[in-house]
Amino acid sequence: MSMSRPAVHPVEPPPLIDGRNDAAPPRRVRMKDVEGMAGTSTGLVLRLCQFVFTVVSLTVMATTSDFPSVTAFRYLVAAVGLQSLWSLSLAMIDIYALCVKRSLRAPAVITVYTIGDGITSTLTFAAACACAGITVLISNDLNRCNINHCKRFMSATALAFLSWFAQPSCLHYKTVKQKYTVKPSDFPAAVVT
């Protein structure tokens, strides 16, 4: 059975300058931060906006007396509650990263951010869509806005949509995709014997 073995290539010493070997080592190139990425100031602003939108949406919905009577409104309260906790925790991590001037580019961190953002944004968007449908039903089809809190329901739904829109995870997907996409040129040609 023929197995391939890794090839070891010798490393050449740096070129001699004036008979001495005091050449400065080559500088490492650092990848630029993608705006909105974890650990950047834009990412922090997006997280804080997202947190504010979800907290205000949660507060507006919770201050109405009849939100528990509709399942979609209860779902919105649960979804934006989870979204606010997620946004606050990631905002604190971003603040720490900015204070210590560290970049959050580790593949595991980016993966956790991306999966968490995907789950919470899907929940928030689904809850906002459900609430929008119920709000349209109450206001337009049933004409019962005078006995319900339609304006509050509409504003809570709009704020939930804004918190979904402020989700910075779409910027992570591009980074993860570029970093982990495997191309055929990454593998050497197979030798068939």
Side-chain angles (χ1 to χ4, degrees), residues 1 3 5 13 17 29 39 49 56 68 75 86 104 108 129 137 146 162 167 172 179 181:
M1 180 176 355
M3 301 183 102
R5 302 204 187 270
I17 299 175
V29 178
C49 287
V56 173
Y75 178 47
W86 177 254
L104 298 175
C129 288
L137 175 73
N146 53 358
L162 285 174
Q167 188 88 9
H172 296 303
K179 186 164 186 132
T181 302

Side-chain angles (χ1 to χ4, degrees), residues 27-150:
R27 296 187 65 184
R28 292 186 176 195
V29 178
R30 185 169 184 250
M31 188 175 95
K32 291 182 182 178
D33 284 335
V34 177
E35 289 302 319
M37 205 172 130
T40 62
S41 57
T42 309
L44 177 63
V45 168
L46 286 171
R47 289 285 174 205
L48 291 176
C49 287
Q50 189 178 31
F51 176 71
V52 168
F53 290 147
T54 55
V55 167
V56 173
S57 175
L58 179 66
T59 305
V60 168
M61 189 61 82
T63 56
T64 61
S65 59
D66 56 349
F67 90 87
S69 63
V70 179
T71 305
F73 295 153
R74 284 186 281 167
Y75 178 47
L76 180 72
V77 168
V80 296
L82 177 67
Q83 181 72 50
S84 64
L85 292 174
W86 177 254
S87 299
L88 180 64
S89 62
L90 294 185
M92 288 190 295
I93 292 171
D94 284 347
I95 290 171
Y96 174 75
L98 288 171
C99 287
V100 297
K101 296 184 182 356
R102 294 283 181 176
S103 177
L104 298 175
R105 283 196 213 136
V109 173
I110 292 175
T111 303
V112 168
Y113 266 60
T114 304
I115 291 172
D117 283 343
I119 290 170
T120 56
S121 69
T122 302
L123 290 174
T124 303
F125 184 70
C129 288
C131 286
I134 295 297
T135 306
V136 168
L137 175 73
I138 291 172
S139 65
N140 293 349
D141 299 338
L142 299 178
N143 291 325
R144 292 191 151 189
C145 266
N146 53 358
I147 60 172
N148 285 317
H149 303 288
C150 282

